[in-house]
């Protein structure tokens, strides 16, 4: 069998194929992220939901890393033609791509294999490859906070957001540095197959299924006094009663702080305000209930702490770009497709799930 060819369908089932482009100077940690995250999810019959393949811009052989070892990559650039999703991890040897925003002939030839409609993603400075290829013109993107200003200067047509862990713009997704690649890959699993599948992958990987805040919390700032109180107790308290009205003064009182001090400390620790954090947690709770229960939209809204269906609809529309009913229908249809697969139905990566900013 051709080692580049996708796994033959089994009873009409075909796993979503993720092809990771390994470039010289790559970071081994980032190269391993897609394999770890996408290699875990399985459906109810134990079948892998993804197939992960690594390729190079050259014929099979060694690819240099930023460490004291190389990795042997078994596939050449033609593997990109088989991808449903292409991921470009960071590299410290991008040459003219990083210096002048220009693709090398070798890299341009490799990217020519990518089929129209293929979902594209980058980790950290891998975004320079997508930008140099013109795929990000007029679109939002992010990268490591230390590279954001340079990326914007080199590619003025890209809308660079330096304050987020990742950006989902539908068929193109970009992430900040290193560990944000885990956040991005978990998000894609969540988008494709729902929160329950993504949460199980996160649990097995021993990472949080969803990190609060953005890159601002990782930019160097004075080290906080270890004697200062934390707001973690208030967050844990709030998570246990999301269905109840939660006032800022109640959270502050849990930590014996004034509202002003608590708000400042909370933002320092989480990167967002207490109100933004509560909304994020309630959106995640609503997603879980919409996917995994038959509760009415009104009941989901009450259990998630939004109070009314209208309030939940507004928050989900703002966060996910879809209504609660449309969100539930997306995953019900996907579950039905998994139970009754058809050979002529292949994943459509451009519409794999709701868009999450």
């Amino acid at each position: 069998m051709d080692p580049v060819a996708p796994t033959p369908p089994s009873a009409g089932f075909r796993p979503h194929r993720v092809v990771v482009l390994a470039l010289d100077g790559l970071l081994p940690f980032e190269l391993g992220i897609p394999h770890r995250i996408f290699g875990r999810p399985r459906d109810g019959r134990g079948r892998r939901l993804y197939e992960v393949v690594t390729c190079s811009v050259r014929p099979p052989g060694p690819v240099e890393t930023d460490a004291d070892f190389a990795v042997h990559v078994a596939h050449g650039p033609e593997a990109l033609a088989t991808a449903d999703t292409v991921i470009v991890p960071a590299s410290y040897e991008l040459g003219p791509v990083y210096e002048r925003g220009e693709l090398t002939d070798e890299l341009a030839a490799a990217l020519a294999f990518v089929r129209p409609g293929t979902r594209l993603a980058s980790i950290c400075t891998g975004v320079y490859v997508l930008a140099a290829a013109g795929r990000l013109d007029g679109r939002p993107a992010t990268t490591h906070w230390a590279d954001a200003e340079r990326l914007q200067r080199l590619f003025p047509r890209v809308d660079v957001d330096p304050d987020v862990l990742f950006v989902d713009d539908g068929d193109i997704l970009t992430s900040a540095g290193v560990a944000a690649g885990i956040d991005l890959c978990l998000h894609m699993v969540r988008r494709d197959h729902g929160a329950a599948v993504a949460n199980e992958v996160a649990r097995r990987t021993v990472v949080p299924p969803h990190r609060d805040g953005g890159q601002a919390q990782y930019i160097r700032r004075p080290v906080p006094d270890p004697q200062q109180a934390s707001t973690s107790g208030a967050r844990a308290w709030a998570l246990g009663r999301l269905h109840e009205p939660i006032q800022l003064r109640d959270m502050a009182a849990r930590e014996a702080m004034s509202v002003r001090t608590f708000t400042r400390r909370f933002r320092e620790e989480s990167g967002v305000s207490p109100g933004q954090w509560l909304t994020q947690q309630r959106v995640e709770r609503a997603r879980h209930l919409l996917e995994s229960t038959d509760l009415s939209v009104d009941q989901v809204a009450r259990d998630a702490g939004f109070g009314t269906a209208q309030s939940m609809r507004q928050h989900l529309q703002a966060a996910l770009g879809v209504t609660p009913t449309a969100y539930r229908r997306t995953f019900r249809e996907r579950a039905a497709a998994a139970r009754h697969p058809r050979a002529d139905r292949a994943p459509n990566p451009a519409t794999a799930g709701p868009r999450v900013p």
Side-chain angles (χ1 to χ4, degrees), residues 310-322:
Q310 178 62 24
S311 175
M312 182 174 72
R313 186 175 298 109
Q314 291 173 348
H315 282 94
L316 260 68
Q317 188 75 48
L320 309 179
V322 293

Side-chain angles (χ1 to χ4, degrees), residues 22-24 26 28 31 54 58 61-65 69-74:
L23 302 173
D24 283 324
L26 63 85
L31 180 65
T54 304
R58 300 184 296 272
V63 173
E64 298 298 323
T65 73
F69 59 85
V71 295
H72 181 86
V73 176

Side-chain angles (χ1 to χ4, degrees), residues 71-82:
V71 295
H72 181 86
V73 176
H75 306 298
E78 63 277 1
L80 293 168
T82 71

Side-chain angles (χ1 to χ4, degrees), residues 13 43-45 47 49 333-341 345:
F13 175 82
D43 67 9
R45 303 180 189 181
R47 300 174 299 192
L49 294 173
E333 290 173 354
R334 188 167 295 124
R339 288 193 301 270
H340 305 290
R345 178 167 47 213

